[in-house]
């Protein structure tokens, strides 16, 4: 084989191996997400509260906006109308 052919085959094989590794990694991540337990409502609300308080600290929201949004999310998560 010529040097040009050898380089092409080597690059093609490397690219294919990289694509396979990426696909396997993506499949593993997807499986872990699908198979992970669903958090209960109170732990979800704890996460919402923490995220909103962080947003208030970063001046992305006012405290009033955060409280209003948290109430709306509680209604959705706990199934209240």
């Amino acid at each position: 084989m010529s040097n040009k052919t050898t380089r092409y085959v080597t690059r093609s094989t490397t690219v294919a191996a990289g694509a396979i590794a990426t696909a396997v990694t993506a499949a593993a991540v997807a499986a872990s997400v699908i198979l992970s337990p669903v958090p209960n409502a109170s732990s979800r609300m704890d996460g919402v509260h923490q995220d909103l308080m962080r947003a208030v600290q970063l001046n992305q929201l006012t405290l009033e906006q955060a409280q209003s949004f948290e109430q709306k999310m509680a209604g959705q998560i706990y199934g209240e109308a």
Side-chain angles (χ1 to χ4, degrees):
M1 266 193 280
S2 71
N3 283 339
K4 190 174 184 179
T5 304
T6 303
R7 278 194 305 256
Y8 176 77
V9 170
T10 302
R11 284 186 197 151
S12 298
T13 304
T14 302
V15 169
I20 291 170
T22 302
V24 169
T25 302
V29 169
S32 70
V33 169
I34 291 170
L35 299 175
S36 64
V38 175
N40 64 21
S42 69
S43 67
R44 288 176 64 194
M45 281 307 301
D46 288 343
V48 168
H49 178 77
Q50 290 172 2
D51 289 345
L52 289 171
M53 290 303 102
R54 191 173 314 116
V56 169
Q57 289 173 346
L58 296 171
N59 295 320
Q60 295 172 333
L61 294 173
T62 66
L63 183 58
E64 293 78 19
Q65 289 171 322
Q67 289 170 339
S68 174
F69 186 75
E70 188 170 353
Q71 287 175 348
K72 289 178 186 176
M73 290 303 300
Q76 297 253 338
I77 290 173
Y78 292 122
E80 301 166 3

